[in-house]
Amino acid sequence: MTAYLLKRRTTLAGYALAAPLLFAVAPAAMSDFRLEQLARYLCFAIVAVGISLAWGRGGMLVLGQGLFFGLGGYAMAMHMKLADAGAGNLPDFMLLYGSTDELPWWWEPFRSPAVALAAVVLLPMALAAAIGYAVFRRRVRGAYFAILSQALAAAFAILLIGQQATTGGTNGLTNFGGFFGFSLHDPVNRRMVYFIIAGTLLALMLLTRQLFLSRYGELLVAVRDSEERVRFLGYDPALVKLGAYTLSAGMAGLAGALFVPAVGIISPALVGIVPSIQFVIGAAIGGRASVAGAVLGAVAVAWAQTTLSEEFPAGWTYFQGGLFVVVVAFLPGGLASLWHLATRRRRSRAGETGRVVAAA
Amino acid sequence: MTVILTQAFTGVSIGAVLLLIALGLSLTFGQMGVINMAHGEFIMAGAYTVYMLQGPIHSAGFSLLVALPVAFAVAGAMGVLLEWLLIRRLYTRPLDTLLVTWGVSLMLQQLARDLFGAPNVHTEAPDWLSGRVTLIGGDDPLTLAHARLFILGLALAAVVALTLTLRLTPLGRRIRAVVQHRDLAEASGIPTARVDRVTFLIGSGLAGLAGVALTLVGPIGPTMGTNVIIDAFLVVVVGGIGQLKGAVIAAFALGVLQSVLEYSTTVSVARVVVLVAIVAFLQWRPQGIHTVRTRSLA
């Protein structure tokens, strides 16, 4: 029991430390440019929270989070494009390509800010629920599920590229002027976007952590470790998995939506196979089963990618691939499990037998 | 009438490419349960083998024929190295194998970029593959490209050779024994670790062959592996694991479906519809076309 309280206290201390770092130190110490980069990394971290829920605790290797990230991102970008264009006008890129005279029907609802905000979360969640229900009910799992989810992300990217007249094609949607009435050319408003992202990330981390500690969290781990046994106990594993998968899709959608005002673009290059696997890489290196591990891993990998790939583009790819291979093959719990190993050793040396939550 | 025949043949030739890229996987994934995302990069290695051989060997036709065994050896050697270094440690963790081999595939792509440059490279197609056979003449002719026929022939030859190897040779018997019951095979004196390695060698070598074939129909570049790997896995998933028969049926079925849909819609819509069809199909038969009955709960 003391071990549990101790763990609880260190986690709370971690959040107490992270909040002022994100909200006060970073905005004060960083230039506008660096802060925008940090905002980008934090968007990836929000996706990683969902991955640690679905994959780390639920055992579903979600290789297609780019699909949901893209859905959220495009929903937000469509609204911002329409708001920039003003009532009755077409978005600028449609005039540029000149292939449509009127707005496609599926663009129309995104004029309303309320619909767009709802769609950002509900669209990915609805799609994930439909896919998940179909797939989990028929007990498609493991590698089959991973490949299927990856194929869906690939198909979405192909579809976006193919429909250039209405989606912007390879270039995606870019050049945004305002975000719900606030001009994005104003640095103060761009800082606001950063604060929204940081706040969302912390809130989702706390929520997911609470979910891990709940009975549902226990059930999810049980399904991951032995689906058949849970089924024999009278639960429906498909529903348990569906919940985690749908939530992780919603988080990815929200991250995509926040990414658009922060970075100013959403394009097929951000939703296909490669970005989808990048999301997983961060979570895997940091530690898939722990929220903080996944988040720190995602931020670190994204940061290293920007910084190192500027100077050594080739070397970075080898390093990232190599680190990923070594961590997954020999340290499946990610770097976060080093922390658990260290605390366990210290405790066993002190002769105490504390229950250590193993990072599987 | 000709339109239907043309679409059918286009479908069959797409199916032949799918079959070639998926055949090696149906061995390593289907039989051994190893998810090798670097399979696409083995295909790439096969394609670059053709490119490299066209330097010293000037005749395009001869270099293509030489490339077949060389590409098999190159990709096979890469496969054995990967199996020995990483995969054999991960046989009990299939999902981690997927991720690890994806990391390897990242590094191999970068290696290709460093060795051959990021832009696509070109190879010469031999003269005897550049023509077309006319089946039906007249105003609305039905013609088949030689290159497509060559790929179809290569795919069928590879299937036959692989089937015969698995059915008739002592090696094939050992491979099947290990797949069906690893512990019992080991108890009967079969060196399972060595059999695993040979299986992986054959599977990866087949990827090399597919790479040679792909030089005839598409560009050769560092990302060509990523472009085909998903399709290859989908063929194996739809085909069902454990038997080559399923993969053959799945490859041609998906090929024809794709070509018919491309004819009536666009390429991108066709891809999405095929995917939705696959998800729907897995609702009906979650274990794929060909299922091996087991007593496992899954």
Side-chain angles (χ1 to χ4, degrees), chain A residues 143-284:
Chain A
Y144 284 77
F145 173 74
I147 290 162
L148 219 52
S149 67
Q150 193 173 25
L152 286 168
F156 185 52
I158 292 168
L159 195 65
L160 286 172
I161 295 171
Q163 309 294 316
Q164 191 182 26
T166 49
T167 63
T170 321
N171 300 329
L173 300 177
T174 183
N175 279 334
F176 302 106
F179 180 57
F180 294 106
F182 295 96
S183 165
L184 282 174
H185 301 296
D186 186 349
V188 177
N189 288 341
R190 288 219 292 270
R191 294 209 151 214
M192 255 350 270
V193 173
Y194 165 82
F195 282 117
I196 295 174
I197 293 173
T200 311
L201 174 65
L202 276 184
L204 286 178
M205 283 174 78
L206 281 169
L207 192 81
T208 310
R209 207 191 120 67
Q210 216 47 48
L211 203 61
F212 285 179
L213 296 174
S214 71
R215 289 174 53 151
Y216 174 75
E218 298 280 330
L219 194 56
L220 190 63
V221 172
V223 169
R224 176 193 73 190
D225 292 341
S226 180
E227 197 171 320
E228 300 307 339
R229 205 172 290 182
V230 173
R231 196 190 317 281
F232 291 149
L233 286 174
Y235 295 99
D236 184 356
L239 286 182
V240 178
K241 287 161 94 172
L242 190 64
Y245 183 53
T246 310
L247 275 178
S248 82
M251 290 185 202
L254 197 55
L258 292 170
F259 183 87
V260 174
V263 183
I265 187 171
I266 184 84
S267 77
L270 290 159
V271 311
I273 298 179
V274 175
S276 298
I277 294 193
Q278 295 286 5
F279 293 142
V280 172
I281 289 186

Side-chain angles (χ1 to χ4, degrees), chain B residues 54-132:
Chain B
Q54 286 200 338
I57 305 173
H58 291 296
S59 155
F62 187 55
S63 69
L64 190 72
L65 294 182
V66 174
L68 285 175
V70 177
F72 188 93
V74 169
M78 288 167 76
V80 168
L81 196 65
L82 180 65
E83 202 272 348
W84 179 68
L85 278 175
L86 288 169
I87 292 177
R88 69 189 169 112
R89 298 165 211 277
L90 299 170
Y91 276 127
T92 51
R93 290 154 48 192
L95 283 184
D96 287 344
T97 317
L98 193 163
L99 292 173
V100 163
T101 50
W102 198 83
V104 172
S105 113
L106 251 188
M107 291 193 277
L108 287 177
Q109 279 178 31
Q110 187 59 40
L111 190 68
R113 242 173 248 131
D114 289 347
L115 290 178
F116 306 103
N120 292 339
V121 296
H122 296 282
T123 54
E124 303 261 333
D127 296 335
W128 45 272
L129 284 183
S130 56
R132 300 177 77 87

Side-chain angles (χ1 to χ4, degrees), chain A residues 56-81:
Chain A
R57 297 290 165 130
M60 295 163 277
L61 180 47
V62 281
L63 278 182
Q65 292 301 83
L67 168 62
F68 307 121
F69 186 82
L71 274 179
Y74 271 93
M76 179 62 87
M78 280 157 72
H79 170 70
M80 285 162 71
K81 273 277 153 206

Side-chain angles (χ1 to χ4, degrees), chain B residues 141-167:
Chain B
L142 172 63
T143 60
L144 313 178
H146 283 161
R148 294 284 181 177
L149 285 175
F150 175 78
I151 293 176
L152 184 58
L154 187 64
L156 293 179
V159 171
V160 170
L162 188 57
T163 312
L164 291 181
T165 310
L166 286 177
R167 287 254 173 101

